[in-house]
Amino acid sequence: MTFPWVANTVLTRSIRLAPIIAMAALLASCASPPMPPSSSMPSVPVAAPVTAGSRPGDSGPLPAPLVQGKSRWVPVRWAELPGFEEDQLFEAWNAWLKSCERPGPIFAPLCGEVRRLSIASAEEQRVWMVARLQPYRVETLQGGSEGLLTSYYEPVLKASRMTGGAYEVPLYRAPSTLGSRKPWFSRQEIDTLPEARAALKGREIAWVADPIDALMLQIQGSGRLDISEPDGSQHVVRVAFAGSNDQPYRSVNQWLLAQGVTKINPWPDATKAWALQNPQRVQQLLWSNPRFIFFREEALSNFDAAFGPKGAQGVALTPGRSIAVDRDSIPYGTPVWLASRGNAANLQKLVVAQDTGSAIVGAVRADYFAGTGPQAGEMAARVNQPLRLWVLWPR
């Protein structure tokens, strides 16, 4: 596709994000076969900005509905996508470039064009999307189009390589015996059974100070540790999901509600406040969730720090532009239009399906990656609101 790009296009971008986009595009192109010459790409005229409902190219007969696992996809016009004309699409291109590092067979043929468009204007990106993609409204097999949006993030915790003092709660690598029994020991058994404790001896990555923080890290599935080394140095590493004990997940908040606790949000602050008032019951609270997560340590470069951990697709998550989905409803690497309004956030934007989670089940269901650190955590704790989704599928 030939676009009349102008030299100052990049200057319209955020100064902070432009190096990330350029570097991501460079790295992605280095790992891929040479792109075809632009003459091999279909030419699409670039029109002046238009209002929703009059988008050029959005005409002609619609294709038939599709069934994708647990979901039904209903073809629609681009005008149905709320906020399509206003979204800062270049932000989403970071996530799309990441997906092109490990694309599936459906989207791999588009990755050359996606890379070219990383420095295009938002209008050029919109024109290309209309020409190359068909939006489908995601519904349940029964026809429901409204679902649930939640959010997750990457916590940052203070930690130490050595136990003692304030740091007494261990974070573990996966034990060598993890596959020897399914499910593996529960959280309570890990704390109490000599056999389980022996299997984890020497598997400690680091220690943190608060058991609620350790539980939160396990619920999120990954995080960063601001870690103190024995020599007195301090640096930040990432701990990524490396496996679980295959025990069922149980909500600590639901357990608290069953105990008659009325203030359970914001998480985890309300839980920590309850724990301070009920120190003799903290272990009981922790054991209410038998699921236990093991981690692996990863180095964190300055470039990596701009992105989140790797999701289930195997690519790094992009804050505000990556979602976790039910892979039986939406394949990994699929660009998705997301619309959700609630007290926590009003979102109308392009995102990419790059992760999943044990609680993310159903056709119209997504978990929104809010980013890293306390501010992202505050947002993630509040998001629990209605959701609509449209997959953008190659024509």
Side-chain angles (χ1 to χ4, degrees):
M1 182 183 302
T2 303
F3 288 101
W5 296 342
V6 291
N8 66 350
T9 299
V10 177
L11 297 181
T12 64
R13 305 297 192 269
S14 162
I15 297 301
R16 183 172 63 83
L17 288 177
I20 297 173
I21 298 171
M23 188 176 295
L26 177 61
L27 293 176
S29 62
C30 289
S32 306
M35 291 183 291
S38 59
S39 60
S40 67
M41 300 165 62
S43 177
V44 178
V46 177
V50 293
T51 58
S54 59
R55 170 58 62 181
D58 191 11
S59 59
L62 291 173
L66 302 174
V67 173
Q68 174 71 32
K70 300 175 182 177
S71 63
R72 180 173 180 262
W73 297 358
V74 180
V76 300
R77 301 294 182 192
W78 285 90
E80 181 173 308
L81 278 56
F84 178 63
E85 302 295 337
E86 291 76 42
D87 187 31
Q88 299 295 319
L89 294 178
F90 74 91
E91 296 175 357
W93 240 256
N94 286 324
W96 209 334
L97 288 168
K98 283 293 181 184
S99 275
C100 281
E101 295 175 8
R102 297 192 65 178
I106 299 298
F107 285 95
L110 296 181
C111 281
E113 300 172 49
V114 170
R115 294 186 185 101
R116 293 173 191 269
L117 285 161
S118 65
I119 58 171
S121 70
E123 178 58 21
E124 288 168 331
Q125 291 168 343
R126 266 185 273 272
V127 169
W128 177 84
M129 289 171 67
V130 171
R132 302 292 268 143
L133 303 172
Q134 170 63 50
Y136 291 83
R137 184 175 61 250
V138 180
E139 299 181 351
T140 66
L141 295 177
Q142 295 73 37
S145 60
E146 188 170 287
L148 175 66
L149 180 70
T150 51
S151 182
Y152 66 120
Y153 78 111
E154 186 180 36
V156 180
L157 302 179
K158 291 277 190 183
S160 173
R161 292 289 188 191
M162 301 178 65
T163 185
Y167 300 101
E168 297 183 343
V169 183
L171 304 174
Y172 290 109
R173 300 178 185 87
S176 59
T177 60
L178 186 60
S180 64
R181 54 182 291 171
K182 286 187 177 291
W184 209 67
F185 299 105
S186 69
R187 185 179 298 273
Q188 181 175 355
E189 290 169 337
I190 287 171
D191 286 343
T192 58
L193 292 184
E195 181 183 352
R197 297 179 72 83
L200 291 171
K201 186 175 178 59
R203 307 297 293 175
E204 301 90 352
I205 295 173
W207 285 261
V208 296
D210 192 320
I212 305 299
D213 282 340
L215 177 64
M216 174 185 65
L217 184 67
Q218 293 190 6
I219 291 172
Q220 300 302 321
S222 64
R224 301 184 190 187
L225 302 180
D226 184 359
I227 199 163
S228 299
E229 299 288 356
D231 63 3
S233 63
Q234 193 119 1
H235 62 112
V236 178
V237 301
R238 172 172 279 144
V239 283
F241 178 89
S244 78
N245 61 353
D246 288 315
Q247 296 280 352
Y249 171 79
R250 297 285 184 262
S251 168
V252 168
N253 277 351
Q254 291 300 316
W255 182 85
L256 287 168
L257 289 172
Q259 308 307 305
V261 178
T262 57
K263 182 173 175 53
I264 60 171
N265 285 312
W267 162 262
D269 295 343
T271 303
K272 288 184 178 182
W274 180 90
L276 284 174
Q277 296 171 358
N278 301 273
Q280 74 284 359
R281 302 191 67 194
V282 170
Q283 206 72 345
Q284 188 181 1
L285 177 143
L286 297 172
W287 291 346
S288 71
N289 176 22
R291 191 172 180 83
F292 196 94
I293 301 301
F294 303 103
F295 299 101
R296 65 175 179 273
E297 181 178 338
E298 297 179 349
L300 195 64
S301 69
N302 289 337
F303 180 76
D304 294 332
F307 295 92
K310 289 183 179 180
Q313 187 187 356
V315 302
L317 304 177
T318 301
R321 295 291 177 166
S322 296
I323 59 171
V325 296
D326 186 335
R327 65 179 303 181
D328 290 331
S329 176
I330 301 175
Y332 296 146
T334 302
V336 177
W337 197 264
L338 178 151
S340 179
R341 290 187 175 273
N343 293 330
N346 293 326
L347 303 171
Q348 298 180 155
K349 63 197 309 187
L350 177 63
V351 295
V352 185
Q354 295 176 321
D355 203 3
T356 194
S358 58
I360 313 305
V361 179
V364 193
R365 179 73 174 93
D367 210 17
Y368 177 83
F369 179 62
T372 299
Q375 187 173 354
E378 290 174 9
M379 175 186 176
R382 297 194 309 267
V383 174
N384 194 308
Q385 56 195 52
L387 170 70
R388 289 183 293 157
L389 297 174
W390 294 260
V391 296
L392 310 181
W393 204 244
R395 291 185 182 275

